[in-house]
């Protein structure tokens, strides 16, 4: 069954409207027909099974057959990702969405190579939505506005567990720290860009309660580190 997205505002009693790029995909790519059954998510926990009732040039109208609400799992995982090159960021967005990250916050650090344009950020949102539908998730990860590193650190107090990946950390492995703190409701995972964090940034993060951890003995690329960190966290908490 094909999956589509419609914001909560498009649902009206027993009907919903699918528009914009989702409508284009339904009508012009998949060429679905009146009477076909589809799956619709609103990105906020609701999943609907619906029957297509009308397809026109601008939108698709569907009748709701079934509605289920799924609560968020805990702990929620927020990825603070130091800005890498465009194609690497897109891979991180796609794969961490598939793995179950709750929030993604792009951050500008001392070694970040770029700041994306508005059109690039719009593309990122499309990638997150596409990955959400592809993997069958009901809750769409929230993609934050870009923060600088200090703004990122200023939010750390709101997380029960704060981890920062650092290739020079020799003692603490992310797995052991997670196992020592099994009952938390929120985790911040901070990952550097190409070139990693400076020691000044690491010291500032430690001052804000972040725990430097490693994910292995090898030095990983930023996209590999982000994905690996999320994989280990999801595995340890059985998410």
């Amino acid at each position: 069954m094909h999956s589509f997205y419609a914001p909560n505002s498009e649902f009206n009693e027993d009907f919903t409207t699918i528009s914009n790029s989702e409508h284009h995909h339904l009508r012009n790519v998949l060429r679905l027909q009146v009477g076909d059954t589809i799956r619709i998510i609103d990105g906020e926990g609701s999943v609907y099974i619906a029957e297509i009732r009308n397809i026109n040039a601008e939108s698709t109208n569907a009748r709701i057959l079934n509605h289920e609400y799924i609560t968020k799992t805990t702990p929620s995982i927020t990825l603070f990702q130091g800005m890498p090159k465009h194609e690497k960021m897109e891979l991180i967005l796609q794969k961490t969405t598939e793995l179950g990250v709750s929030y993604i916050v792009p951050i500008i650090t001392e070694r970040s190579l770029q700041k994306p344009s508005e059109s690039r950020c719009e593309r990122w949102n499309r990638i997150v939505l596409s990955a959400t539908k592809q993997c069958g998730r009901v809750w769409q990860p929230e993609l934050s506005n870009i923060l600088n590193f200090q703004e990122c650190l200023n939010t750390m107090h709101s997380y029960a567990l704060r981890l920062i990946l650092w290739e020079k950390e020799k003692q603490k492995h992310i797995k052991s720290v997670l196992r020592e703190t099994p009952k938390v409701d929120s985790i911040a995972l901070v990952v550097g860009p190409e070139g990693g964090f400076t020691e000044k940034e690491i010291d500032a993060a430690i001052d804000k309660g972040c725990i430097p951890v490693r994910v292995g003995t090898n030095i990983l690329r930023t996209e590999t580190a982000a994905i690996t960190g999320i994989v280990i966290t999801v595995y340890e908490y059985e998410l």
Side-chain angles (χ1 to χ4, degrees):
M1 187 183 302
H2 296 290
S3 292
F4 299 91
Y5 165 78
N8 189 266
S9 59
E10 293 294 344
F11 290 86
N12 181 18
E13 295 183 354
D14 295 332
F15 291 87
T16 188
T17 300
I18 298 171
S19 56
N20 301 321
S21 61
E22 292 292 283
H23 166 67
H24 169 77
H25 187 65
L26 182 152
R27 179 176 184 258
N28 301 319
V29 178
L30 298 175
R31 298 185 181 277
L32 299 183
Q33 303 293 324
V34 171
D36 286 343
T37 303
I38 57 176
R39 176 180 181 269
I40 307 172
I41 62 170
D42 66 357
E44 300 178 13
S46 286
V47 56
Y48 302 86
I49 304 301
E51 178 188 9
I52 297 174
R53 298 298 297 271
N54 180 59
I55 303 174
N56 58 43
E58 301 297 329
S59 63
T60 296
N61 185 260
R63 183 172 67 88
I64 304 300
L65 304 177
N66 183 59
H67 170 227
E68 181 181 8
Y69 180 80
I70 300 174
T71 58
K72 277 187 175 181
T73 57
T74 56
S76 65
I77 305 171
T78 298
L79 171 65
F80 291 88
Q81 175 63 52
M83 286 295 302
K85 294 178 181 178
H86 292 312
E87 67 277 6
K88 293 185 178 182
M89 187 64 182
E90 293 181 4
L91 177 65
I92 291 166
L93 293 171
Q94 181 187 69
K95 298 308 177 186
T96 59
T97 294
E98 292 175 12
L99 289 166
V101 72
S102 303
Y103 303 92
I104 304 169
V105 185
I107 57 174
I108 301 294
T109 69
E110 290 188 34
R111 292 175 176 160
S112 293
L113 300 179
Q114 64 182 353
K115 186 171 182 178
S117 64
E118 183 177 340
S119 62
R120 179 68 62 173
C121 291
E122 291 173 356
R123 174 174 169 79
W124 288 354
N125 278 290
R126 292 195 297 271
I127 289 170
V128 169
L129 175 58
S130 177
T132 300
K133 294 189 299 177
Q134 183 275 325
C135 70
R137 288 187 63 172
V138 175
W139 286 91
Q140 180 179 336
E142 182 177 331
L143 180 58
S144 166
N145 293 329
I146 299 167
L147 303 181
N148 62 46
F149 188 66
Q150 187 57 53
E151 289 172 324
C152 160
L153 294 185
N154 289 342
T155 70
M156 287 296 116
H157 66 277
S158 62
Y159 296 93
L161 181 61
R162 302 148 231 172
L163 306 176
I164 185 166
L165 301 192
W166 191 33
E167 68 277 6
K168 293 184 181 180
E169 174 58 41
K170 303 303 180 184
Q171 301 300 320
K172 297 185 182 71
H173 192 283
I174 185 174
K175 178 179 68 175
S176 62
V177 175
L178 291 170
R179 289 184 177 180
E180 290 167 3
T181 51
K183 294 183 179 180
V184 297
D185 58 7
S186 59
I187 298 172
L189 183 67
V190 189
V191 181
E194 290 110 333
F197 291 113
T198 65
E199 294 207 15
K200 178 182 176 182
E201 288 172 327
I202 292 294
D203 289 341
I206 292 172
D207 286 343
K208 292 292 187 178
C210 291
I211 303 171
V213 295
R214 60 184 176 87
V215 293
T217 56
N218 299 331
I219 296 176
L220 305 180
R221 294 179 183 272
T222 182
E223 66 274 25
T224 309
I227 294 168
T228 303
I230 298 297
V231 166
I232 295 171
T233 304
V234 168
Y235 175 82
E236 289 297 326
Y237 284 95
E238 299 181 355
L239 297 175

